[in-house]
Amino acid sequence: MVSAVMAAFAAAACSGTVDDSASGIVLTADKSQITADGEDRVNFTVTYGGADVTASAEILCISDGSRVENASFSTNTPGSYAFTATYMGETSERANVNAVSASAGSSKYKKNYFIAEFTEAYCINCPDGSSYLLGYFCREIVGFDNACVLAFHGNSLGEDPLAIPVTAELMNDFKLLTLPSFAFEMRVAGDLMTQRGALRNAYDESPAAHCGFSIASAYDEQSSSAKVTVKLTSDIQSSYRVALFVVEDHVASIQKTITGGEEEDFDHRHVVRSLLTSSYKGESWGQLAPGQEMSKEYTVEIGSDWDLENVTVCALAYDNTGFVNNCLSCPITGTVDYQINN
C-alpha cells in the first residue's frame, strides 16, 4: 500500500485541492482552467483545520507576485498560474490554473496522456497490473492513440534485466512502496492494484493540452544510432521542461508469475530503455510565447539486442505547474508531426 502521505496527495491532486496535512491549511480552486478574457474567473476557498478562513487568508499568485483580491482571479493574458494561501503564518501548497486564449477557445493541440507504470520481473502482481492498464484503462477509457505508457523496471525484488536507475529515483520521489504502481502526468501516483479509482479520477481531472510536439527521427545503420529532432510550440505563455525517453515494446524477458513459476520469454510492453535528458523532470526550454516554436536535437544509441521496429522515443512537456501537460511518441525510424484537434 502506498504511504498515507502519498494517498492523501493523490486524492488532493485529483480534486484540485492540495491538502497540507502538516500545516492544516488547504487552498482549493473551483476550476483548473479559465478563458483569458478578463471575465472568466477562478474562485478560491481557504480552510484551516477544516474551518473556512478565506476572508482572513492572503492568497498570492506566485507566478507574478500579485495578491488575489476577494479570493477570485481573472486575466487577459494566457498562461499557467500558480497560487498559494497564507494564514496564521503558514502557507499552503500550490494550486495551479491554466488561462487559455479567448480566441483559441480550447487548445488546438490534441491531448495525449502520460502514464508511468512501475514494474519488476519478480513482482507476481505486475502482469495483472499491466493487463489492467493496457487491456482496460488505455483501451476502454483513454484510447490507445491518446496514451503514452512507459514501463519503468526496477530491482527491488530481484535482478531484473530490464531495470534502469531512474526507476528507483521515481519511486522514491513519489514515495511508492509497492508494485505495481503508477504515476499519471507526474502529478498523481498510487498502487496500481488498489488505487485504480485514483488513476481514473486523475484522468477525468486532467487539464487540457496547451502545447504540442513534433518529432522526427532518422536512424543511421552504420553507427547504430538515431538523430532525433524534437519541436515544441505552445498556445500560451509558459515555461517548459522537456524530458525524452527511449522505449521498446514487446521485449521478451523473464517474469515471475502469480503461481510462483517463472516465464523466461514473457512479453513485456512499453519498456523504458533509457533516459536521454539529464533528469526525468526534463531540461529547461525556457519561456515560450503563444505560437513560438523551439527545437532541439538528441542522439539515441540503439542497443544491439533491441528490435528497431519496436523502438520509439517519447517526449514529455512539463509546464510551469511542474506536471506533464502533453506528450508524444514517435518511431525511432519515423516522423510524427503536430497533432491538431479537428
Side-chain angles (χ1 to χ4, degrees), residues 1-331:
M1 179 67 67
V2 176
S3 68
V5 173
M6 176 50 68
F9 168 80
C14 291
S15 67
T17 301
V18 180
D19 183 358
D20 186 343
S21 57
S23 67
I25 183 169
V26 180
L27 174 64
T28 304
D30 68 351
K31 60 181 75 172
S32 61
Q33 181 170 300
I34 60 173
T35 303
D37 58 3
E39 297 182 2
D40 193 13
R41 311 186 73 85
V42 56
N43 297 304
F44 296 98
T45 302
V46 183
T47 59
Y48 185 81
D52 189 334
V53 296
T54 306
S56 303
E58 180 180 60
I59 303 173
L60 293 177
C61 175
I62 61 176
S63 302
D64 61 14
S66 63
R67 181 174 178 175
V68 176
E69 301 294 338
N70 300 316
S72 182
F73 175 81
S74 66
T75 182
N76 290 305
T77 305
S80 296
Y81 295 85
F83 302 85
T84 60
T86 301
Y87 180 75
M88 298 289 289
E90 298 182 9
T91 300
S92 72
E93 296 289 344
R94 296 187 305 178
N96 301 298
V97 177
N98 287 327
V100 179
S101 170
S103 60
S106 60
S107 174
K108 68 179 180 180
Y109 299 109
K110 173 181 174 287
K111 171 78 172 186
N112 294 318
Y113 300 88
F114 170 68
I115 309 165
E117 175 191 2
F118 301 104
T119 184
E120 291 190 14
Y122 290 94
C123 164
I124 62 173
N125 288 322
C126 284
D128 182 67
S130 182
S131 294
Y132 170 79
L133 192 60
L134 298 177
Y136 175 72
F137 187 74
C138 288
R139 184 184 65 195
E140 302 293 339
I141 306 299
V142 180
F144 285 118
D145 292 340
N146 304 321
C148 296
V149 179
L150 273 63
F152 292 85
H153 284 246
N155 279 324
S156 68
L157 301 177
E159 190 67 26
D160 187 334
L162 304 179
I164 56 174
V166 73
T167 302
E169 181 184 1
L170 275 159
M171 292 192 67
N172 181 67
D173 287 352
F174 280 106
K175 297 181 175 62
L176 293 169
L177 304 178
T178 59
L179 292 168
S181 296
F182 70 88
F184 187 88
E185 297 182 340
M186 300 303 194
R187 61 185 175 88
V188 177
D191 187 304
L192 192 51
M193 302 299 289
T194 64
Q195 294 183 303
R196 294 173 178 178
L199 176 61
R200 174 57 193 265
N201 289 341
Y203 166 74
D204 290 340
E205 296 292 331
S206 181
H210 53 64
C211 64
F213 281 113
S214 172
I215 304 176
S217 180
Y219 176 70
D220 179 64
E221 186 174 357
Q222 186 173 0
S223 64
S224 296
S225 65
K227 293 291 185 183
V228 180
T229 302
V230 180
K231 297 179 180 180
L232 176 70
T233 188
S234 177
D235 275 343
I236 67 173
Q237 179 86 23
S238 181
S239 61
Y240 290 97
R241 300 182 67 87
V242 173
L244 200 65
F245 297 88
V246 184
V247 181
E248 184 182 7
D249 200 11
H250 297 295
V251 181
S253 188
I254 190 171
Q255 179 64 54
K256 192 168 184 178
T257 65
I258 193 71
T259 60
E262 292 182 2
E263 188 174 333
E264 294 295 330
D265 294 317
F266 185 84
D267 182 21
H268 291 278
R269 304 296 309 274
H270 310 290
V271 177
V272 179
R273 286 295 201 173
S274 64
L275 170 64
L276 294 182
T277 45
S278 58
S279 168
Y280 76 84
K281 299 177 183 178
E283 298 172 342
S284 176
W285 281 31
Q287 287 274 342
L288 267 69
Q292 180 184 359
E293 180 182 71
M294 290 192 67
S295 176
K296 288 191 178 183
E297 289 191 350
Y298 300 85
T299 299
V300 180
E301 303 295 333
I302 305 299
S304 59
D305 60 338
W306 299 1
D307 184 345
L308 201 64
E309 293 185 357
N310 292 331
V311 177
T312 58
V313 289
C314 180
L316 312 182
Y318 293 78
D319 62 16
N320 59 14
T321 68
F323 305 126
V324 176
N325 179 259
N326 211 351
C327 55
L328 184 67
S329 291
C330 174

